[in-house]
């Protein structure tokens, strides 16, 4: 424990009193980082994908309809959202248990947007040294012009982010028609403004401070790592003692480790972490320090891997079980499979119409003047399609019954629950029990000619025979 505290005392945590200008170096992990970040193109381009003449994915909150390609999900089926959230939560837990904060380093929107913002900053203001010099320089026309252009680009990216977010809920085509002519509602303008300002402030100004102080997931991950978790790690046994290369030094005369104390691993870190001080709070597992160190090792003629993805057990030379053999991975995997199975089942079992039948309880039955027994039912028809339908209702039973109140098809509006009252009558001579099973059937024809139906089990009640 004393060793842990001693190591933590050497950590460098930026509390916002300095701006980190991380150096950019090419390498394997930088390439992987950009490829992983490209997943966010779906966020910007997704609303423009069409399916059957409409937006492929549209969360139509005013009409309480959620269109996912050819499937329309209504609030009644929203239990699948719980499974979807569970799936992604466990997926994050699996990723963290195996490879630390890999989500933060490669996929997190804060990390990706900050990376894009700092790339723009580098293109306009120059390398880290030039940026620091520009910051401390007096205000001139050139500085004002460069700074204004940079912040304008940041605001523009923030606006596109907010506009794209709203397009998932409002409809991309309709948003383009309404937004710029003032026809969109106040919630649309407020949402775009909030995302514009939020993106500009979080990615442009706060940057790594969001990871340090605002993101709760960064704290949660700290208790999810163990000695077998693979994270960027400095091989202290190989690298120490650190020291600069001496002129004429050979392998036989060298008295220092492989680390030449160039500080390139710190220079490229987006959170300012010195990985040589051990795994710490600010490390987002992005692997950029590995690229920087490998490049230096190539130049000085020493083997790569001084900083590499490795577990603590591996660095200390201990044998570690393979990832697939870890019980936690199996538990997480089982939950993932169950959640995904539930989502697939829910999507595959969605029907175009849904029928619910409520039996009148007071009274359960009435006896008519001709001696027959009558029951009253309230039908609730849910039309899950995007078109109004005419739904025919019938009833099936082992004994003859008569259905009244549904002689004509019921008009079912799309996306709504459409109630209706029907009566079922049975002759006394056919009533051989107090309770007789019934099956109500609702059938409709979709605009494309497809026949759909929904059934619901109920019961017919009468006096003792």
């Amino acid at each position: 424990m004393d060793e842990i505290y001693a190591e933590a005392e050497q950590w460098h945590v930026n509390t916002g009193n300095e701006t980190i200008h991380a150096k950019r170096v090419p390498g394997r992990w930088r390439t992987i980082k950009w490829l992983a970040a490209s997943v966010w193109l779906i966020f910007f381009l997704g609303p423009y994908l069409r399916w059957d003449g409409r937006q492929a994915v549209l969360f139509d909150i005013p009409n309480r309809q959620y269109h996912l390609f050819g499937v329309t999900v209504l609030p009644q089926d929203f239990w699948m959202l719980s499974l979807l959230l569970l799936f992604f939560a466990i997926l994050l837990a699996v990723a963290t248990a195996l490879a630390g904060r890999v989500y933060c380093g490669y996929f997190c929107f804060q990390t990706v947007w900050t990376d894009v913002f700092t790339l723009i900053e580098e293109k306009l203001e120059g390398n880290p040294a030039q940026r620091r010099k520009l910051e401390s320089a007096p205000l001139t026309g050139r500085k004002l012009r460069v700074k204004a252009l940079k912040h304008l680009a940041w605001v523009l990216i923030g606006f596109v982010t907010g506009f794209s977010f709203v397009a998932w809920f409002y409809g991309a085509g309709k948003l383009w028609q309404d937004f710029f002519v003032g026809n969109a509602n106040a919630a649309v303008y407020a949402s775009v403004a909030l995302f514009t300002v939020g993106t500009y402030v979080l990615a442009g100004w706060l940057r790594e401070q969001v990871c340090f102080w605002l993101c709760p997931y960064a704290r949660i991950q700290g208790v999810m790592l163990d000695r077998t978790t693979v994270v960027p790690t400095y091989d202290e046994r190989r690298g120490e003692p650190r020291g600069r290369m001496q002129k004429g030094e050979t392998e036989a005369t060298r008295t220092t480790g492989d680390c030449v104390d160039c500080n390139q691993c710190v220079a490229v870190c987006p959170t300012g972490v010195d990985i040589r001080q051990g795994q710490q709070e600010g490390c987002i597992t992005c692997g950029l320090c590995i690229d920087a160190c490998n490049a230096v090792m190539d130049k000085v003629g020493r083997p790569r891997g001084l900083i590499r993805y490795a577990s603590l057990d591996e660095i200390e030379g201990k044998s570690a079980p393979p990832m697939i053999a870890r019980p936690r991975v199996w538990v997480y995997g089982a939950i993932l499979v169950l959640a995904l199975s539930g989502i697939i089942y829910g999507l595959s079992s969605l029907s175009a119409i849904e029928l619910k039948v409520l039996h009148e309880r007071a009274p359960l039955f009435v006896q008519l003047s001709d001696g027959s027994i009558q029951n009253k039912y309230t039908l609730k028809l849910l039309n899950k399609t995007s078109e109004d339908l005419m739904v025919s209702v019938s009833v099936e039973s082992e004994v003859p019954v008569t259905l009244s109140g549904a002689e004509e098809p019921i008009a079912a509006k799309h996306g709504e629950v459409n109630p209706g009252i029907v009566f079922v009558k049975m002759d006394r001579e056919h009533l051989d029990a107090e309770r007789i099973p019934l099956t109500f059937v609702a059938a409709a024809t979709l605009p494309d000619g497809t026949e759909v139906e929904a059934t619901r089990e109920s019961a017919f009640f009468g006096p003792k025979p």
Side-chain angles (χ1 to χ4, degrees):
M1 185 64 69
D2 291 338
E3 294 179 359
I4 296 177
Y5 286 134
E7 181 180 280
E9 289 177 355
Q10 302 180 55
W11 290 359
H12 172 70
V13 178
N14 181 20
T15 56
N17 57 332
E18 62 176 309
T19 300
I20 294 178
H21 294 291
K23 181 180 179 181
R24 289 177 179 270
V25 297
R28 176 188 180 189
W29 298 107
R30 164 56 72 181
T31 301
I32 293 175
K33 184 177 175 67
W34 279 123
L35 291 175
S38 65
V39 171
W40 283 100
L41 290 174
I42 298 174
F43 173 80
F44 295 100
L45 302 179
Y48 303 96
L49 183 63
R50 311 295 294 176
W51 188 274
D52 287 341
R54 59 173 172 78
Q55 188 167 314
V57 180
L58 176 63
F59 304 100
D60 190 355
I61 292 179
N63 294 319
R64 295 180 298 174
Q65 296 182 3
Y66 310 95
H67 302 290
L68 305 174
F69 295 93
V71 177
T72 298
V73 180
L74 298 181
Q76 289 82 355
D77 300 308
F78 226 53
W79 57 270
M80 287 184 287
L81 176 62
S82 300
L83 290 180
L84 185 63
L85 294 177
L86 174 64
F87 175 83
F88 282 112
I90 298 300
L91 186 61
L92 282 176
V94 172
T96 303
L98 297 180
R101 296 174 62 181
V102 65
Y103 168 76
C104 296
Y106 293 91
F107 297 99
C108 175
F109 51 88
Q110 171 66 18
T111 302
V112 173
W113 265 248
T114 299
D115 209 17
V116 173
F117 275 39
T118 54
L119 176 63
I120 292 173
E121 188 174 62
E122 183 176 84
K123 295 297 184 183
L124 294 174
E125 298 182 0
N127 59 42
Q130 292 171 327
R131 297 204 294 273
R132 294 189 187 96
K133 183 178 180 181
L134 184 64
E135 278 185 356
S136 59
L139 184 62
T140 62
R142 176 187 175 277
K143 180 176 180 178
L144 182 62
R145 183 174 63 256
V146 170
K147 292 288 186 180
L149 185 59
K150 179 185 73 173
H151 288 284
L152 179 62
W154 285 1
V155 171
L156 181 59
I157 293 176
F159 173 79
V160 173
T161 300
F163 193 86
S164 299
F165 176 81
V166 172
W168 289 94
F169 299 87
Y170 195 83
K174 191 171 185 295
L175 184 61
W176 278 100
Q177 294 174 2
D178 296 347
F179 188 88
F180 296 102
V181 295
N183 290 338
N185 57 55
V188 169
Y189 292 108
S191 298
V192 173
L194 181 63
F195 267 83
T196 301
V197 174
T199 304
Y200 171 76
V201 172
L202 295 179
W205 289 94
L206 294 182
R207 300 185 183 182
E208 78 287 340
Q209 297 301 302
V210 176
C211 306
F212 278 120
W213 312 114
L214 299 182
C215 178
Y217 182 58
R219 297 290 182 270
I220 295 173
Q221 291 173 112
V223 299
M224 300 175 69
L225 276 64
D226 57 29
R227 296 182 61 89
T228 61
T229 303
V230 176
V231 292
T233 308
Y234 169 66
D235 191 342
E236 186 175 350
R237 293 186 300 173
R238 175 185 154 187
E240 300 296 324
R242 307 172 199 169
R244 300 282 182 175
M245 292 188 66
Q246 302 298 322
K247 186 175 181 181
E249 182 181 62
T250 65
E251 193 67 25
T253 60
R254 180 159 60 97
T255 59
T256 59
D258 281 352
C259 180
V260 296
D261 206 18
C262 62
N263 283 325
Q264 289 302 298
C265 55
V266 182
V268 300
C269 181
T271 60
V273 163
D274 187 345
I275 196 64
R276 296 171 298 178
Q277 303 301 335
Q279 184 61 211
Q280 32 190 306
E281 179 186 359
C283 180
I284 59 173
T285 320
C286 63
L288 298 180
C289 55
I290 301 177
D291 285 339
C293 186
N294 285 341
V296 173
M297 292 296 102
D298 290 343
K299 291 179 180 179
V300 299
R302 295 178 183 175
R304 289 187 166 201
L306 177 60
I307 301 176
R308 63 184 183 274
Y309 274 104
S311 66
L312 182 58
D313 280 347
E314 178 187 339
I315 290 295
E316 293 180 353
K318 299 177 181 178
S319 60
M323 291 183 182
I324 195 66
R326 296 165 60 183
R328 184 164 56 169
V329 174
W330 282 96
V331 173
Y332 287 154
I335 299 175
L336 279 176
V337 170
L338 289 175
L340 187 60
S341 299
I343 295 170
I344 294 174
Y345 168 77
L347 291 175
S348 62
S349 61
L350 286 177
S351 57
I353 56 175
E354 185 177 294
L355 174 65
K356 291 186 177 180
V357 179
L358 304 178
H359 191 286
E360 183 72 26
R361 294 184 177 273
L364 281 176
F365 62 88
V366 295
Q367 182 170 329
L368 303 181
S369 58
D370 60 0
S372 60
I373 305 300
Q374 180 176 276
N375 285 199
K376 180 181 178 181
Y377 301 86
T378 299
L379 306 182
K380 291 189 175 182
L381 280 166
L382 174 60
N383 179 4
K384 296 182 179 181
T385 70
S386 57
E387 303 288 341
D388 294 343
L389 297 176
M390 299 302 294
V391 182
S392 300
V393 178
S394 60
V395 64
E396 298 175 353
S397 173
E398 296 178 353
V399 297
V401 295
T402 302
L403 176 67
S404 58
E407 292 81 2
E408 298 294 330
I410 299 175
K413 294 184 178 180
H414 67 279
E416 295 184 9
V417 175
N418 303 270
I421 295 177
V422 297
F423 299 90
V424 176
K425 185 171 67 172
M426 181 182 298
D427 290 339
R428 186 68 178 266
E429 61 189 54
H430 298 303
L431 192 63
D432 55 2
E434 290 185 65
R435 184 181 185 278
I436 296 177
L438 294 178
T439 301
F440 285 85
V441 180
T445 302
L446 300 181
D448 61 2
T450 304
E451 300 287 340
V452 295
E453 69 173 31
T455 61
R456 176 67 67 170
E457 300 293 332
S458 188
F460 186 90
F461 295 90
K464 293 182 178 180

